[in-house]
Amino acid sequence: MDEYNPLRRDPPPWYTGPSDPAKPAPHISTLLPEQPGSLCTSCVQTNLIPLFASRPSTCYDPTSSSPLRHETSYHTSIPSLKTSAAERCPWCTAVLSNAVKEKEANDDTEVEVRFRFFCIRQQHIVHFNQLIVFLVFGRAGESKATARFVPFSPLEMRVYDGGRPWAFDVLAKLEQAQSWLKECETHEGCKVAERPSLPKRLVDVSCFQSDGGVRLKVVTPDDRERYAALSYCWGGSANLMTTSASLASHLAFIPAASLPQTVVDVVRVTRSLGLRYLWIDALCIIQDSKEDKRAEIRNMRNIYRNAYVTIVASSATSVHEGFLEPNIKPLQGFEIPLPRGTAGVNDREESEGDTGKALEKTYLEFGHAPTYWTHGPNVRAWCLEERYLSRRLLIFERRDLIWLCRCQHTHLDQDAIIPDDGRYFTFASFETSKKQEAVLHRWCQLVMHYSHRHLTKPEDAINAVAGIAEDFAERFGDVLGKYRAGLWEGHMQLLAWRREQVTLRRTEGEYVAPSWSWLSNHQGTAFDDQPWLKSKPDEERESLFEVLDVSVVNKEGAGPYGPIKDGYLKLRAPVLSGIWSSKKRLLTTDETQVDLGPINADSIEATELPERDVKALFLSKRSSHWTSRKDMNKLAVGFTGIILERANAQHWKRTGSFAILERPVHELQLVITSLEAQSLEEITIV
């Protein structure tokens, strides 16, 4: 298991909540009364406040950069919980709501409430990665039943005194942005070409103050002005757009009154940075012209790479919300008043006589944390490419202002922790190493994050990643080989991708890519069998297939990274033929039954199909020495591969993937024998 990083906002690896992302772990906001009251006397005097206020050495170590595991508990009873819940105590309501689900819980039952969590503190904010509450029922000396619930996932706890530190005013944001940009101009590694090529059209914001609006400008070959680019979420089709009919009027003038709030805000930011021009897709691309859209999409890589700065409206879920004005929503939880001078929570100096007295404006806010990836551009597929290609990013989050460039990574709220797991992919942050493993691993990371994002139009699945693919081909083509529908010709072992079900499911529609490409998958994508990631030091991997031919035909005018018309892949590999059902692990051949291990169907629909004739094509073999006490030092093997169905008389299509986990050779002798009895087969997959 990978070492758990407390700075990530993902659920930790030991999390055992619901596997269906459409049904997240319950948190307290779903259990509270409509108008929760204050904490009850028990919570204030003996339960919650002592829990968080009396353990600075174990829970709130400001010098520690590693997660601190903290466990504690208190005792109560079902009658006490009912009394407090009747008085609308939010915490007791949550505990009772979970306790009464257990058959062991009755009015005679004592309840021990155990807390277990990992946290890390930085001044005003304590970051929890997981809080698990165990409810232990039964009286002393009796056998005890245990239940558990996750009140918040992910969890965040904030401490503030006399106002929240995240409510920065607009002026402070713009002044800080100017300062960062000015400093960045001195960075040797951040210099942008003085006269970069420009997009076909730009928005001129110079007349915003004087004339109360902006205008669209057609760029001439002599123009070489600096410009900003906007990365944002439309939030539906109700956006101000340039069309063939409105192009002439937009070139003349666009009144400010017709501009959505996000556009108004980005105009203000652009002007404050001393820039005259701004690129916004809705206004700079003729939205009802297929030719114009095709040309600008192909140029998207240069548009964002040549932008002087990219402004990301990360806090806005639609173009009408805006991102400059305070948008600070309370946590979905409740507040706990803390004693003034609480060690590790409020470290400021207190006047004599104040210690121990309640201070009205000192609160610990405890609840479900808003995440960095559940809103706005953070869930939009196009925005990943925009961020990756940009050389400078100015990100307006709900509670923070973030700056990313080649040489600096900082933010306005110095107490906050920014995810470091790749969600803020940028051209600048990408490692310059051309080692095969590093490049492929980074590509897999990008694909996994990209495939979990939202796309309105299925055909955009290719367009929205084309700029990244083109950049990889230019920089690492000698390592990767040619780009082939989301994969790389020199490393086709990534054929063993796996579908992951995600909440933000991309709409299925017309043909997008060959079935062997992850681009044909309308859900999330994962790469479990990455050859460079070894589960054991002595593990060896052997590729079992050979690529005989691969062809991808792009649509007319699309280029090698654009929409695909057709494609095929011809392989020579060991194959087992038989009858298989996605609900079973067994492949029934003419001679025997082979256990293929965990099988993942490529579509939700495929999981409901009856038994059918398929081929199991084996892609790779892993071998290492088994480490169990029973089979010490015995050779263990495992396999990965894909499931194929007939597409037509000559061709096959991919319909799933399988993974036979490593086990001692004698346990997989049936699979090994079956493979040895088969000659290699040539198969064409479409």
Side-chain angles (χ1 to χ4, degrees):
M1 181 180 294
D2 294 338
E3 183 179 355
Y4 181 50
N5 185 343
L7 306 189
R8 292 179 61 163
R9 296 295 184 95
D10 294 330
W14 60 83
Y15 173 57
T16 58
S19 58
D20 184 355
K23 298 178 181 178
H27 56 75
I28 205 168
S29 63
T30 64
L31 305 172
L32 299 183
E34 291 185 3
Q35 294 181 334
S38 303
L39 291 174
C40 64
T41 303
S42 296
C43 285
V44 172
Q45 294 181 353
T46 61
N47 298 343
L48 286 183
I49 288 184
L51 165 66
F52 293 108
S54 64
R55 305 221 174 191
S57 62
T58 59
C59 189
Y60 303 131
D61 181 2
T63 65
S64 174
S65 59
S66 59
L68 298 169
R69 176 165 171 158
H70 183 56
E71 295 191 24
T72 190
S73 66
Y74 69 88
H75 290 80
T76 183
S77 65
I78 296 295
S80 296
L81 290 171
K82 287 183 176 180
T83 300
S84 298
E87 297 173 354
R88 304 204 315 278
C89 173
W91 179 251
C92 290
T93 300
V95 174
L96 179 65
S97 298
N98 284 274
V100 296
K101 297 176 184 177
E102 304 300 319
K103 62 182 180 180
E104 292 82 3
N106 54 60
D107 285 352
D108 297 327
T109 305
E110 294 180 359
V111 182
E112 180 186 3
V113 183
R114 296 179 183 173
F115 295 84
R116 179 186 299 167
F117 51 81
F118 285 73
C119 63
I120 183 169
R121 172 178 168 76
Q122 286 192 347
Q123 297 182 29
H124 294 291
I125 191 166
V126 179
H127 295 267
F128 287 85
N129 296 100
Q130 187 80 61
L131 168 68
I132 302 175
V133 180
F134 295 88
L135 306 179
V136 184
F137 305 102
R139 288 184 287 271
E142 297 179 351
S143 60
K144 297 183 179 182
T146 302
R148 54 171 278 171
F149 71 100
V150 182
F152 308 97
S153 180
L155 177 72
E156 185 173 292
M157 183 173 72
R158 307 183 198 134
V159 181
Y160 57 93
D161 179 17
R164 303 181 183 183
W166 301 273
F168 306 114
D169 59 36
V170 175
L171 182 60
K173 289 182 179 180
L174 297 183
E175 288 179 348
Q176 183 60 73
Q178 294 167 5
S179 174
W180 284 333
L181 185 57
K182 186 176 181 180
E183 180 182 352
C184 183
E185 290 173 342
T186 66
H187 297 161
E188 189 64 31
C190 293
K191 291 185 177 179
V192 182
E194 287 297 320
R195 296 173 63 83
S197 61
L198 301 183
K200 187 183 297 184
R201 303 175 194 88
L202 289 169
V203 177
D204 185 347
V205 303
S206 62
C207 57
F208 184 78
Q209 194 71 30
S210 58
D211 300 340
V214 297
R215 59 175 52 91
L216 199 60
K217 170 187 171 63
V218 176
V219 174
T220 67
D222 295 331
D223 290 330
R224 285 294 183 269
E225 294 279 354
R226 292 173 173 175
Y227 66 93
L230 173 64
S231 178
Y232 69 118
C233 183
W234 281 33
S237 58
N239 190 6
L240 178 65
M241 298 181 290
T242 296
T243 63
S244 301
S246 64
L247 177 60
S249 63
H250 284 184
L251 288 170
F253 188 70
I254 307 174
S258 65
L259 298 176
Q261 189 58 51
T262 293
V263 176
V264 172
D265 286 352
V266 76
V267 169
R268 294 175 63 187
V269 174
T270 302
R271 287 174 53 84
S272 73
L273 297 177
L275 301 175
R276 178 176 180 177
Y277 293 108
L278 171 66
W279 190 86
I280 305 174
D281 59 356
L283 295 177
C284 298
I285 300 176
I286 302 175
Q287 297 296 320
D288 60 350
S289 169
K290 290 183 179 180
E291 294 75 15
D292 196 67
K293 289 181 73 173
R294 184 185 301 118
E296 292 303 276
I297 286 173
R298 289 192 64 179
N299 193 40
M300 199 69 69
R301 176 180 175 229
N302 291 325
I303 289 174
Y304 280 94
R305 191 166 65 169
N306 291 334
Y308 195 63
V309 62
T310 296
I311 300 162
V312 184
S314 191
S315 61
T317 58
S318 83
V319 72
H320 301 287
E321 283 189 13
F323 58 87
L324 279 182
E325 298 300 330
N327 186 21
I328 310 302
K329 297 180 180 179
L331 290 175
Q332 293 177 296
F334 55 92
E335 296 174 337
I336 303 175
L338 292 170
R340 175 180 283 192
T342 297
V345 175
N346 187 352
D347 295 326
R348 63 182 176 81
E349 294 183 4
E350 306 293 342
S351 59
E352 186 177 354
D354 281 343
T355 302
K357 294 182 180 179
L359 181 66
E360 289 183 345
K361 292 184 179 180
T362 298
Y363 287 93
L364 183 152
E365 193 175 18
F366 185 56
H368 187 257
T371 60
Y372 281 89
W373 67 90
T374 58
H375 57 267
N378 300 305
V379 298
R380 183 172 173 252
W382 282 100
C383 291
L384 182 65
E385 178 179 84
E386 294 164 5
R387 292 190 182 190
Y388 170 80
L389 296 172
S390 299
R391 295 176 180 269
R392 296 185 177 109
L393 287 169
L394 188 60
I395 304 171
F396 288 81
E397 282 284 0
R398 290 184 185 274
R399 305 173 188 276
D400 204 359
L401 177 63
I402 301 170
W403 173 266
L404 291 172
C405 67
R406 286 175 176 260
C407 303
Q408 189 176 15
H409 180 181
T410 187
H411 44 123
L412 196 57
D413 178 11
Q414 293 298 329
D415 300 329
I417 295 178
I418 300 175
D420 63 349
D421 61 348
R423 289 192 175 88
Y424 287 101
F425 283 116
T426 64
F427 177 94
S429 66
F430 189 83
E431 296 178 7
T432 57
S433 170
K434 281 197 173 186
K435 290 183 178 179
Q436 174 179 301
E437 295 82 0
V439 174
L440 283 172
H441 181 56
R442 193 63 162 180
W443 175 256
C444 289
Q445 282 186 306
L446 281 161
V447 170
M448 286 188 284
H449 280 281
Y450 171 78
S451 65
H452 284 70
R453 290 174 172 238
H454 180 66
L455 273 174
T456 304
K457 300 177 181 179
E459 60 269 26
D460 283 345
I462 294 178
N463 288 329
V465 77
I468 298 177
E470 185 178 0
D471 183 74
F472 263 72
E474 180 182 291
R475 298 165 64 196
F476 309 112
D478 55 336
V479 174
L480 298 172
K482 290 185 178 180
Y483 181 70
R484 299 294 191 183
L487 302 177
W488 300 93
E489 193 170 314
H491 300 279
M492 296 299 282
Q493 65 266 42
L494 296 182
L495 285 167
W497 54 266
R498 173 176 60 83
R499 176 184 65 87
E500 281 192 334
Q501 187 172 341
V502 295
T503 304
L504 295 173
R505 183 180 179 184
R506 292 183 281 141
T507 306
E508 296 188 21
E510 61 184 38
Y511 177 88
V512 174
S515 66
W516 45 265
S517 168
W518 61 266
L519 286 166
S520 67
N521 172 31
H522 297 281
Q523 294 276 311
T525 298
F527 296 94
D528 293 333
D529 189 37
Q530 299 180 36
W532 51 90
L533 297 180
K534 295 184 177 182
S535 58
K536 298 178 181 178
D538 67 334
E539 182 178 277
E540 295 183 1
R541 302 209 179 195
E542 177 186 356
S543 179
L544 302 178
F545 71 97
E546 177 187 358
V547 177
L548 302 178
D549 192 16
V550 57
S551 173
V552 175
V553 180
N554 297 90
K555 292 183 179 180
E556 185 178 355
Y561 310 99
I564 296 171
K565 181 180 180 181
D566 198 2
Y568 68 84
L569 172 65
K570 189 174 183 180
L571 301 177
R572 181 186 291 123
V575 173
L576 293 180
S577 300
I579 298 174
W580 167 75
S581 168
S582 59
K583 295 182 180 180
K584 300 179 181 179
R585 297 160 56 111
L586 298 178
L587 178 73
T588 304
T589 68
D590 293 338
E591 294 81 19
T592 186
Q593 287 186 325
V594 178
D595 185 354
L596 294 178
I599 298 176
N600 188 279
D602 285 350
S603 68
I604 297 175
E605 292 75 12
T607 62
E608 305 299 327
L609 294 176
E611 292 184 341
R612 54 211 187 272
D613 291 329
V614 301
K615 288 183 181 291
L617 187 149
F618 286 72
L619 294 172
S620 67
K621 174 184 176 181
R622 304 179 308 280
S623 60
S624 64
H625 286 87
W626 196 248
T627 55
S628 70
R629 184 171 299 177
K630 178 181 177 182
D631 298 303
M632 184 67 71
N633 292 326
K634 287 188 176 181
L635 184 66
V637 296
F639 299 89
T640 57
I642 55 178
I643 302 293
L644 304 176
E645 285 188 78
R646 277 283 183 192
N648 52 51
Q650 292 80 34
H651 303 133
W652 295 78
K653 64 179 180 179
R654 181 187 146 140
T655 191
S657 60
F658 65 88
I660 302 177
L661 304 181
E662 287 181 68
R663 299 200 294 274
V665 170
H666 69 271
E667 294 185 19
L668 292 177
Q669 195 60 53
L670 184 60
V671 177
I672 296 171
T673 302
S674 299
L675 287 176
E676 290 176 346
Q678 303 292 321
S679 58
L680 298 181
E681 189 172 337
E682 294 184 4
I683 289 185
T684 301
I685 311 171
V686 294

